[in-house]
Amino acid sequence: MTSSIQGVLPVLHAPLRDDETIDVDILQQEIDWIFEVGADGVCSAMVSEVLRLSPSERCDLAEMMVSMTAGRGTVIASVGAETTRQAVEYGEHAARCGCSAIMAIPPISVALPEAALWDYFSQLARRVDLPLIVQDASSYVGRAISTSFFARLVDEFGAAKILFKPEASPIGPNLSDLREQTGGKAQIFDGSGGILLIDCYRRGIQGTMPGVDLLDGIVALWRALRQGNDPLAYRIYFPICAIVALQLQAGLDGFLAIEKYILQKRGLFSSVRRRTPYAWELDRETAMEIDRLLVYLEDALKEQPALKL
């Protein structure tokens, strides 16, 4: 498998001002840091709070990602929507403004029969002249998509057109099943914050799509895996894994609250503000545990050799 869409492709967070508008200056700083630490591109997706942005804001975000990346890497825009028409409009806009690919979850307000789900993704594939990453985010939003459905998309449109970010449990076995059903052709990306990154790497993923909060750790982990340095990989992985476990306990709002807390603590964000309403707040004791784990991660990163690929 070969593709220019590969490696570490973080999902950016939307930095918000007090009036809940996107802070453009902080967004530029975030994207600059993404490339400074060695990532291969940038995405918008669930932790970008796309489900809480207006249609015009989602289009603005895609445009800003392209302009702020300035040719330094891949740009992937989230286009999933509650209607096929809206998803296609987002996708066509992403193509016009210069994105490298689009990524879509299915509608989340209804349990679609397979025929309707097929129509949704096949129209996106046919009408948007970009690679389409099909995201199953059902571990925290929406419903699971079967691996046989994924394989059917590859058979119909080809592995260069249809890529995957499967996050339904059990992630590892599902990933291997998809690999086998497509004869190794499926191009697959790990998600869920990197909590299963090592296991997924060994099953043949094309890349990983974590949040930005622990990105320097994820980049170092990815490089250690590429170089076969398992002892270093596990030292970096364990605190990342423990932090993401804390995020997962509260679903999407857990990711948002904790990741923005870490971004502020590390000096990348000036605020932890999220779009309201939301269902979960970060409590003091969880924050204290995150602080302890960040020390372990920082210590592990100090040990790493020059991991350049």
Side-chain angles (χ1 to χ4, degrees):
M1 297 185 304
T2 59
S3 172
S4 59
I5 305 172
Q6 57 189 341
V8 181
L9 302 168
V11 179
L12 60 77
H13 300 269
L16 301 178
R17 302 185 183 94
D18 289 344
D19 62 0
E20 296 192 4
T21 58
I22 294 175
D23 189 320
V24 176
D25 292 336
I26 299 296
L27 182 65
Q28 180 69 73
Q29 291 176 202
E30 180 183 7
I31 290 176
D32 288 343
W33 188 75
I34 284 170
F35 290 106
E36 284 169 12
V37 299
D40 299 289
V42 62
C43 312
S44 62
M46 298 302 98
V47 297
S48 309
E49 298 183 72
V50 293
L51 297 180
R52 295 169 181 171
L53 300 179
S54 70
S56 63
E57 286 175 319
R58 287 182 66 168
C59 291
D60 289 345
L61 181 59
E63 293 173 16
M64 288 189 287
M65 287 166 57
V66 172
S67 64
M68 292 177 180
T69 293
R72 289 176 287 180
T74 301
V75 179
I76 301 169
S78 175
V79 304
E82 290 306 291
T83 66
T84 304
R85 177 176 177 174
Q86 182 68 74
V88 169
E89 288 178 359
Y90 287 142
E92 291 174 339
H93 174 267
R96 286 195 303 272
C97 72
C99 291
S100 313
I102 57 173
M103 182 160 61
I105 62 169
I108 62 173
S109 61
V110 62
L112 292 177
E114 187 165 301
L117 194 63
W118 179 261
D119 181 70
Y120 173 83
F121 281 116
S122 61
Q123 286 207 47
L124 271 172
R126 290 191 177 98
R127 295 173 62 182
V128 181
D129 190 22
L130 289 174
L132 166 62
I133 301 169
V134 178
Q135 182 182 9
D136 179 341
S138 60
S139 60
Y140 46 92
V141 65
R143 295 167 179 83
I145 304 172
S146 70
T147 51
S148 61
F149 184 88
F150 286 157
R152 183 183 167 201
L153 284 169
V154 172
D155 289 341
E156 179 75 16
F157 297 102
K161 177 68 177 184
I162 304 293
L163 300 85
F164 302 98
K165 186 184 181 187
E167 296 177 283
S169 295
I171 292 175
N174 286 343
L175 193 156
S176 292
D177 185 34
L178 177 57
R179 181 194 65 212
E180 298 307 315
Q181 286 197 40
T182 62
K185 293 185 294 184
Q187 300 185 61
I188 307 170
F189 295 84
D190 158 80
S192 299
I195 194 169
L196 296 171
L197 177 52
I198 291 182
D199 180 53
C200 291
Y201 181 84
R202 302 198 194 288
R203 296 172 191 262
I205 57 174
Q206 187 87 357
T208 182
M209 295 181 177
V212 177
D213 55 317
L214 305 174
L215 182 59
D216 50 351
I218 295 288
V219 168
L221 171 55
W222 181 258
R223 290 175 174 173
L225 289 169
R226 291 285 303 275
Q227 293 191 352
N229 190 339
D230 282 359
L232 176 59
Y234 281 108
R235 284 197 298 276
I236 297 169
Y237 172 67
F238 288 141
I240 291 174
C241 182
I243 290 170
V244 179
L246 293 171
Q247 296 170 348
L248 281 168
Q249 67 181 338
L252 180 56
D253 276 328
F255 276 102
L256 287 167
I258 292 175
E259 288 177 340
K260 285 197 169 183
Y261 169 79
I262 294 171
L263 287 166
Q264 184 188 51
K265 184 176 179 65
R266 304 187 80 183
L268 290 165
F269 275 21
S270 58
S271 167
V272 297
R273 183 171 296 281
R274 293 174 280 156
R275 276 282 169 95
T276 54
Y278 44 78
W280 188 78
E281 291 277 7
L282 175 61
D283 66 283
R284 184 181 63 85
E285 289 171 292
T286 301
M288 291 171 63
E289 179 63 9
I290 292 164
D291 293 347
R292 287 187 284 267
L293 290 167
L294 285 173
V295 172
Y296 284 108
L297 177 59
E298 289 163 3
D299 288 345
L301 292 177
K302 290 174 186 175
E303 298 175 24
Q304 66 170 317
L307 292 168
K308 299 294 184 183
L309 294 176

